[in-house]
Amino acid sequence: MKIISTIILVVLVLLAVISGFTKVTLVQQEVEFFERYGFSNPTLVAYGLFQLIGGLMMVFGKTRFAGAAIVAFTFLISLILLLIEGNLPVSAATIVTILLLGVILKQNLKAVSVKS
């Protein structure tokens, strides 16, 4: 079970970092999508930085909970926009990602409460 948790964590970290990187570098598809919902380029870069930093925070045990919470929040915003857009396939994948982030949050909440 530990191996599966580690694989899920690695996938989520990579997903958050890549997602954040595409926003920070203002990939045209990202700019066009978020622009429709009022995101300016500086806002999109800041949003991407939150994803990128949250993803990197998930690498370390001490900051994993906070990082996963940040990433889950940013993915929740994206999910809302995707649902408004009517993009159900990507929405479904985002829901799965948020649920997996919830698992990481739950695991690390337990770890934090055990240490206290």
Side-chain angles (χ1 to χ4, degrees):
M1 192 64 166
K2 178 83 171 159
I3 293 172
I4 293 171
S5 292
T6 302
I7 291 169
I8 290 170
L9 178 63
V10 168
V11 169
L12 291 173
V13 166
L14 290 173
L15 188 58
V17 168
I18 291 167
S19 182
F21 182 77
T22 63
K23 290 168 183 68
V24 169
T25 58
L26 298 173
V27 170
Q28 192 61 34
Q29 185 176 354
E30 296 284 335
V31 171
E32 290 172 2
F33 175 76
F34 284 96
E35 195 174 64
R36 288 195 290 270
Y37 299 98
F39 282 67
S40 65
N41 283 353
T43 305
L44 187 58
V45 169
Y47 182 70
L49 281 173
F50 277 112
Q51 286 185 322
L52 190 60
I53 291 167
L56 293 174
M57 287 173 68
M58 288 172 53
V59 172
F60 306 102
K62 290 184 178 184
T63 57
R64 186 166 296 144
F65 183 86
I70 291 167
V71 173
F73 180 73
T74 63
F75 276 53
L76 184 60
I77 292 169
S78 294
L79 174 62
I80 292 166
L81 299 179
L82 288 163
L83 289 170
I84 291 169
E85 187 87 1
N87 190 335
L88 297 181
V90 179
S91 295
T94 304
I95 289 169
V96 170
T97 301
I98 292 169
L99 291 173
L100 290 173
L101 285 162
V103 170
I104 298 295
L105 286 166
K106 185 177 177 184
Q107 287 173 345
N108 285 277
L109 183 60
K110 285 181 181 179
V112 169
S113 61
V114 169
K115 290 179 184 176
S116 299

